[in-house]
Amino acid sequence: MPRTAKQHRKTAETDIQIDLNVDGSGLSTIDTGVPFFDHMLTLFTKHGLFDLNVKVVGDVDVDYHHTVEDTGIVLGQCFREALGNKAGIVRYGFFLLPMDETLAEVAMDLSGRPFLSYHAPEKMEAIGGRAGVFSYQLVEEFLRAFSSALLCTLHVEIKRGRDSHHMAEAIFKGLARALDAATLHDPRVVGIPSTKDVL
């Protein structure tokens, strides 16, 4: 069965459409109205080998917060829908990703229980220039929304790092690789990978 999903969510603050293919090849069309966030979702797709189309119309004239958080919600819902009952998957995924001076650790369990543990330097500089300034704090907001909607346990930690751009990029790439590993089919797994027989 193809593991695909399509979601549309409209609120007073955002209008979001996402098409996802978990078993893709890294193709993406991303337009959130937030250039740096587009960059993060593009590399997330590339390194996770998902196919992803994202179109967002948000109140970016007010702030980027609603767009980033709501996109995390809808993307998490898409993965949850596409994975179904999670029969036959590995379930766990983790990755230690270096990017220059930065080292990011991402570990996840597609447990059916939403939880985020996030450890990273605080009061980091915003990212961006003429294209728009992206608050580094929004990375955590995205991760919280995504893990809550997907119902996964997610641990993210910056082991070392100084540059905001590098830390954000390492996190999104590490998330992609961990999620790719967790969603892989393992032919040895019979049914749901849990002694409770439900995830």
Side-chain angles (χ1 to χ4, degrees):
M1 293 286 292
R3 298 190 296 175
T4 60
K6 179 182 292 188
Q7 292 274 341
H8 180 210
R9 180 178 187 265
K10 186 173 182 178
T11 71
E13 297 165 339
T14 59
D15 187 349
I16 301 173
Q17 298 182 70
I18 296 182
D19 293 310
L20 168 71
N21 180 6
V22 175
D23 304 303
S25 58
L27 301 177
S28 64
T29 302
I30 312 292
D31 181 10
T32 66
V34 182
F36 183 77
F37 191 39
D38 290 352
H39 176 46
M40 293 299 100
L41 292 178
T42 299
L43 60 84
F44 167 81
T45 306
K46 184 73 171 181
H47 291 279
L49 295 174
F50 314 120
D51 289 344
L52 185 64
N53 294 322
V54 178
K55 176 62 178 176
V56 183
V57 178
D59 58 352
V60 294
D61 55 323
V62 175
D63 198 329
Y64 290 163
H65 187 282
H66 298 145
T67 292
V68 173
E69 182 180 33
D70 289 3
T71 301
I73 291 171
V74 181
L75 185 59
Q77 290 173 339
C78 276
F79 272 98
R80 186 179 172 192
E81 177 188 337
L83 293 173
N85 66 3
K86 306 183 189 124
I89 67 167
V90 173
R91 175 179 167 177
Y92 298 97
F94 61 90
F95 206 80
L96 192 63
L97 194 134
M99 184 172 181
D100 296 343
E101 87 295 343
T102 295
L103 185 64
E105 180 180 76
V106 180
M108 70 163 37
D109 173 12
L110 296 174
S111 59
R113 299 184 301 275
F115 180 81
L116 173 66
S117 174
Y118 179 81
H119 297 279
E122 298 180 354
K123 299 180 180 179
M124 295 301 300
E125 292 183 359
I127 306 163
R130 290 179 300 174
V133 176
F134 184 92
S135 171
Y136 180 73
Q137 177 64 29
L138 291 177
V139 174
E140 182 179 1
E141 295 305 320
F142 170 82
L143 294 172
R144 181 173 290 107
F146 178 74
S147 59
S148 294
L150 177 53
L151 299 181
C152 78
T153 298
L154 180 61
H155 288 255
V156 176
E157 181 174 358
I158 294 293
K159 310 294 283 186
R160 286 184 287 279
R162 295 188 305 273
D163 183 275
S164 300
H165 188 141
H166 289 170
M167 289 191 287
E169 188 162 334
I171 287 171
F172 273 88
K173 287 178 177 177
L175 178 65
R177 294 298 298 266
L179 188 56
D180 178 48
T183 58
L184 286 177
H185 278 294
D186 186 335
R188 298 171 299 174
V189 177
V190 178
I192 310 299
S194 171
T195 54
K196 293 188 287 288
D197 292 328
V198 64
L199 287 174

